[in-house]
Amino acid sequence: MDTHVYIDGFNLYYGLLKGTAFKWLDLERFCDQLLPKNTVKKIYYFTAKVDARPQDPDQPVRQQAYLNALATLPRVEVHLGTFMSSVVSQVVVATDPATGRYMKAGGQPVLKTDPVTGALDKAWVHKTEEKGSDVNLAAYLLRDAYRSACQCAVIISNDSDLLTPIRMAKADCGLTIGLAPPRPKGSVELKRLADFKVEPRTHLLASSQFLDPVATNSGSVHKPVAW
């Protein structure tokens, strides 16, 4: 089947790539190997530009190097959302003095309370949220479905917010939906809704790496050294 692949970049990174040596991922090669029985016509990659942080000032440089490498792939389209930062007051979770990890009771986190008043303990925190990727993914999925641009759509995400657009694409357009969840413990509802599921296993990541350097129209781009 002619297939389009829709990748939530942050789901892919945090669910499958973080902490590995496989971040220099050639998405065309990866999707072709992940879906050997499908004809992958287009790959959408949804992400947002990251900001430099005191503990990691080179983060935007590494990301831009990767985006420059992706720009050499003719079947890949990159669509950027945004990051929003705010300072909010949030309830503090109790921690175990012995391990330093947060405590649970009945499967739920234990909220820290004031020992005198019993009121919930709160703290001001700097909260950063990525905005737009899930909406952009849903919009391009539905556009392709209603235009009959492909026979099959494969979603690389664990985001349960995609349930409604996927249901619409299936019910209204008869689109076949595949799921490649970056995390094994992803949305159960998403897995049930998909017509088929494929596992993005580690050996596929290892065999789908860009060359280093990658030739571009203006020269070449190297894989970041410390990544």
Side-chain angles (χ1 to χ4, degrees):
M1 290 185 288
D2 284 352
T3 300
H4 289 183
V5 181
Y6 305 79
I7 302 174
D8 183 325
F10 285 93
N11 259 266
L12 176 65
Y13 179 81
Y14 287 105
L16 201 61
L17 299 177
K18 186 178 180 182
T20 75
F22 308 126
K23 301 182 187 76
W24 197 234
L25 186 64
D26 181 328
L27 294 181
E28 287 189 351
R29 191 177 302 177
F30 174 64
C31 291
D32 287 339
Q33 292 191 88
L34 184 68
L35 303 161
K37 296 181 180 180
N38 296 51
T39 302
V40 178
K41 294 287 190 178
K42 184 171 288 188
I43 301 162
Y44 297 97
Y45 182 75
F46 303 94
T47 188
K49 289 289 189 74
V50 298
D51 294 325
R53 298 185 177 185
Q55 69 274 22
D56 192 1
D58 293 331
Q59 187 171 261
V61 177
R62 296 196 302 271
Q63 184 191 44
Q64 189 58 55
Y66 184 59
L67 293 178
N68 291 344
L70 289 182
T72 67
L73 302 178
R75 286 181 285 159
V76 173
E77 285 187 17
V78 176
H79 296 275
L80 298 176
T82 58
F83 270 105
M84 294 184 65
S85 297
S86 59
V87 176
V88 297
S89 177
Q90 292 189 328
V91 177
V92 178
V93 178
T95 56
D96 186 331
T99 65
R101 295 181 59 82
Y102 73 89
M103 298 169 62
K104 282 185 175 183
Q108 298 296 320
V110 177
L111 303 181
K112 190 175 181 182
T113 58
D114 187 288
V116 177
T117 66
L120 291 174
D121 194 0
K122 292 186 176 182
W124 291 101
V125 297
H126 182 239
K127 185 178 181 181
T128 303
E129 294 181 285
E130 190 270 331
K131 296 287 188 180
S133 288
D134 53 350
V135 175
N136 289 341
L137 194 159
Y140 279 89
L141 170 66
L142 287 175
R143 187 191 68 170
D144 287 350
Y146 286 114
R147 288 181 174 180
S148 300
C150 58
Q151 299 167 296
C152 174
V154 175
I155 315 296
I156 301 182
S157 178
N158 290 304
D159 194 344
S160 59
D161 288 344
L162 299 172
L163 287 170
T164 296
I166 289 174
R167 287 194 186 101
M168 293 172 67
K170 285 169 62 75
D172 295 353
C173 308
L175 192 63
T176 298
I177 299 292
L179 181 67
R183 288 187 179 92
K185 296 181 180 179
S187 168
V188 174
E189 293 86 356
L190 214 54
K191 293 176 182 177
R192 288 174 181 164
L193 190 57
D195 295 298
F196 67 92
K197 185 168 71 75
V198 289
E199 296 290 344
R201 299 186 183 278
T202 302
H203 74 274
L204 296 180
L205 300 175
S207 60
S208 302
Q209 298 295 294
F210 277 115
L211 297 175
D212 187 18
V214 175
T216 68
N217 290 334
S218 58
S220 60
V221 57
H222 289 266
K223 176 182 178 180
V225 175
W227 198 14

